[in-house]
């Protein structure tokens, strides 16, 4: 059975390795099929594709789209999209375009909380001028001793209700899924266990995702406990979604799970790759 890892990041968004380095690390760690899924970005795919040919692994063209739903931010992983598809390319650009202003507002909020210079500080960690993420702010906060580690930086400053959090309107769910399907891809709800919703809210979310045409949900993710693997496998069966898995790798030493370390999907689900 080939090892699939369908979610990871490179320096084209908030990862620490270049697309080529990510692919070579995946190959060295036993991954057979890898999707590069940078936040709101597909620019790393040509380099990743060339590296995958050299390393003899299969690359899936992907991206992870930022979406607003109710008062939450969701992530939708696009798999097997055409990276040249103009509406998707433009759609991703439109999602990214709000990030600069948001970063300025995050920096202002952190300054008001007594931490000046955050925009310049975060920019030192930015690896693509096309995209600034909260991750870059988190690295700055850790470096400055304001947080113990990345998780702590998010917990103290960068999540809803905390001093450096700024609400932002991303793409809508129907819009994101239209772009993904228009580009020939599949839409996967990323790490559903990470959204701060009630069990009723989760049902509403999964219904809305299905109504918008969602294809699969991530069942195995480092954001989930083993109990959640079983829970989301059951949700997938109940709602008729396929199941996906991804390490959400961002870089050595900074990630919850390394490339090649994913456990298998639970029995009884239909893998997202079953139709490939
Ligand atoms: P953004 O798209 O700018 O809102 O940044 C989202 C990114 O922040 C995610 O993709 C993760 O890489 C990172 N992130 C979010 N929450 C956490 C957390 N609790 N610990 C570490 N990284 C996080
Ligand atoms: Mn990220
Ligand atoms: Mn995500
Ligand atoms: Mn991710």
């Amino acid at each position: 059975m080939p090892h699939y890892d369908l979610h990871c990041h490179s320096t084209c968004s908030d990862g620490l390795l270049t697309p080529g380095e990510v692919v070579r690390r995946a190959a060295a760690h036993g991954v057979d099929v890898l999707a590069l899924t940078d936040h709101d970005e597909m620019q790393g795919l040509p380099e990743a594709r060339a590296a995958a040919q050299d390393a003899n692994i299969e690359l899936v063209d992907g991206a992870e789209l930022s979406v607003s739903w109710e008062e939450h931010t969701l992530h939708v992983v696009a798999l097997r999209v055409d990276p040249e598809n103009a509406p998707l390319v433009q759609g991703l650009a439109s999602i990214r375009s709000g990030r600069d202003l948001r970063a300025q507002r995050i920096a202002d909020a952190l300054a008001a909380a007594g931490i000046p210079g955050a925009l310049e500080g975060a920019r030192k960690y930015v690896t693509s001028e096309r995209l600034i993420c909260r991750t870059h702010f988190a690295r700055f906060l850790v470096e400055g001793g304001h947080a113990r580690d990345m998780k702590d930086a998010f917990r103290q400053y960068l999540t809803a209700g905390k001093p450096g959090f700024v609400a932002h309107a991303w793409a809508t769910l129907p819009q994101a899924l239209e772009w993904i399907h228009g580009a020939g891809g599949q839409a996967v709800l990323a790490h559903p266990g990470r959204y701060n919703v009630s069990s009723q809210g989760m049902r509403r979310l999964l219904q809305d995702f299905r109504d918008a045409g969602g294809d699969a949900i991530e069942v195995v993710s480092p954001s989930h406990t083993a109990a959640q693997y079983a829970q989301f496998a059951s949700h997938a069966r109940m709602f008729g979604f396929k199941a996906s898995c991804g390490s959400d790798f961002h870089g050595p030493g900074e990630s919850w799970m390394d490339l090649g370390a994913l456990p298998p999907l639970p029995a009884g689900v239909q893998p997202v790759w079953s139709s490939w």
Side-chain angles (χ1 to χ4, degrees), residues 9 14 39 64 133 135 248 250:
H9 299 272
D14 59 349
H39 296 288
E64 182 177 17
C133 275
T135 319
D248 209 355
H250 281 72

Side-chain angles (χ1 to χ4, degrees), residues 7 39 64 75 191 194 248:
H7 185 161
H39 296 288
E64 182 177 17
H75 286 171
H191 41 63
R194 216 161 88 183
D248 209 355

